Amino acid sequence: MKKQIFIGSESFEELIEGDYFYIDKTLFIKELFDNKGKVTLITRPRRFGKTLNMSMLRSFFDIHKDSYTLFDGLAISQYTNIIENHQNKYPVISLTLKNVELGTYDTAIERMKTLVSAAYQELLYLHESEKLNERQKELFYSYYMRRSTAEELQSSLFFLTECLSKHHDKRVIILLDEYDTPIDSAERHGYYQQMIEFMRGFLGSVFKTNDYLEFGVLTGVQRISKEGLFSSFNNPMVSGVLDKEFATSFGFTDDEVKAAFDIFGVSDRYSEVKNWYDGYRIGGHDMYNPWSITRFLQRQEIENYWVNTGSVQVLKDVFHMGDDRLRNDLAGLLTGTPITMSLADQITYPIKYASTNTFWTLLLHAGYLKPCNGAKGSWFAAELVNMEVKDTFTRYAAEWLMEERVTVYDSIREFVAYLLNGNLEGIESALNDDILNNPSSFDLIQENSYHMFIYGMLLSLSGNYTVHSNHESGKGRSDCMIKPTDKNAAAVVLEFKHIKEDSLDLKAEAQKGMEQINEMEYISSLQQDGYTRIFKYAIAFRKKTCEVVMEHES
């Protein structure tokens, strides 16, 4: 039965009690016992269901709740041993740090005090507990009233576990959601060192040799540990995007998406949606971002949903702060060439925008990259996750290219117009006399660089055209393709060649590119779509000069 989608709620109880759309992830509870550790850190991209799963854990374990009806009929209910021995049997502290994104250290600490105070307020009955002495009650009230210093605040969660454990005579479960948000925000706003020192004490005090702790679960996007953030923990179990543990507990599997599409009557859109939103590879499983799928089910329109849910500053920064090698590798990603990387054990701050494994690891954990099919070993090829992510990268690349080339914007506009009108002389003049020789152009050192360079300029076209990179057609993929909305207008296919040797003739190499266009039948998809006017261009580049060969189909 089709259920209403409730956008914005990350409360398990709210979704179940309201009978809203929910994909059952309660077997995450069983997995926690199967892979039990004293402290478990699970890293996943944004909007991958972390907060909802933490809410579900709280509903299941919290001693203050009676959640049997909530879980009735869900997957975990078949495991009666877990239900009888663990459901609603533990004091639980649940805290999310996702909103600790402030511009200064002092304002961030004040926000932390507010969050801790709210946790204490939920447990205010402890202030009257006969099992706490007067000193403990006084300290409890001080945290509740936000009177602690930053140094005292570091021990606030440990002290709360002590109070709960003494009152209930049970060890405590701690659920800490989005633990890395304050650290990431601090790095972006310039107070990283202060925040990392605070968080080391805040986390270390409660997760290191804490006799009051039953177990703890932390979630976040990145594993941050350069300064020993986790070295003081008792051997935490870490489950990242490449690990098999909890692989399908976060995100939607292909079968789950198919089942949801059947319920919502959109099974005919499955292939289209899969092409746009599928592609996350978690622990060897192909997964979908839940946010993008639920938004599609609600609106039934293909849009860029996920990347609009949070900060994408890292994408903006790579084009402005990255070195030439990094930008060239990013150009390769956008134009279909994977990068080769090795997974860094941890993310180190401050971020260096160079072509390093640390940077690629950051993008992998953040949900922008995935291992290529069949990638194995310590070094592996990685590519952009899906069309949704590629669309975002492309948009920021186009903005950067236009900003960098503002002095030749008129030449870029003329160049694109020449392509659409088959003006060979104008194309060569715009490239050789103005665009390629503009001082702001980044180093053009590989074919990827030229490919992205031209692709970025083509993205300046209006909404009457769609621009494709590495579009499948005929017997292969053309480098770039321009498809007008009006089938009577001219379509364009481009093939690029990069020539390093001075001895080779550029015109002859461009002609080889044209032979490739014809032999591989790159225009066949355009012809099948009903285009009758097609311009074919092969461009051979050497440094900051080029030769162009053109043919016209009509």
Side-chain angles (χ1 to χ4, degrees), residues 7 290-301 305:
I7 294 295
W291 177 255
S292 298
I293 295 301
T294 53
R295 290 292 282 156
F296 171 79
L297 290 174
Q298 182 193 46
R299 302 190 64 186
Q300 299 189 12
E301 295 179 4
Y305 296 115

Side-chain angles (χ1 to χ4, degrees), residues 415-435:
F415 165 72
V416 174
Y418 293 147
L419 282 176
L420 296 173
N421 290 284
N423 188 332
L424 179 60
E425 183 178 342
I427 293 168
E428 291 184 329
S429 175
L431 287 173
N432 287 313
D433 296 342
D434 294 310
I435 298 172

Side-chain angles (χ1 to χ4, degrees), residues 104-123:
T104 68
Y105 176 71
D106 289 340
T107 55
I109 292 300
E110 288 303 310
R111 178 67 58 81
M112 292 286 287
K113 288 182 182 179
T114 299
L115 293 172
V116 168
S117 173
Y120 272 71
Q121 184 174 2
E122 289 186 2
L123 304 169

Side-chain angles (χ1 to χ4, degrees), residues 24-31 60 68 70-84 87:
D24 189 347
K25 293 294 177 180
T26 58
L27 288 183
F28 176 39
I29 298 166
K30 179 181 180 297
E31 282 194 274
F60 185 85
Y68 287 91
L70 287 177
F71 289 89
D72 186 35
L74 295 177
I76 192 61
S77 64
Q78 63 185 299
Y79 295 93
T80 55
N81 183 59
I82 293 177
I83 297 292
E84 292 171 359
Q87 188 167 9

Side-chain angles (χ1 to χ4, degrees), residues 506-517:
L506 273 186
K507 181 66 76 173
E509 296 303 315
Q511 186 59 49
K512 291 180 182 178
M514 182 58 66
E515 292 170 2
Q516 179 177 330
I517 291 175

Side-chain angles (χ1 to χ4, degrees), residues 40-51:
T40 301
L41 169 64
I42 301 171
T43 60
R44 293 293 186 274
R46 289 178 297 106
R47 293 290 192 176
F48 237 75
K50 298 188 294 293
T51 301

Side-chain angles (χ1 to χ4, degrees), residues 229-241:
L229 192 60
F230 293 106
S231 62
S232 60
F233 287 20
N234 296 324
N235 299 315
M237 174 185 174
V238 180
S239 173
V241 295

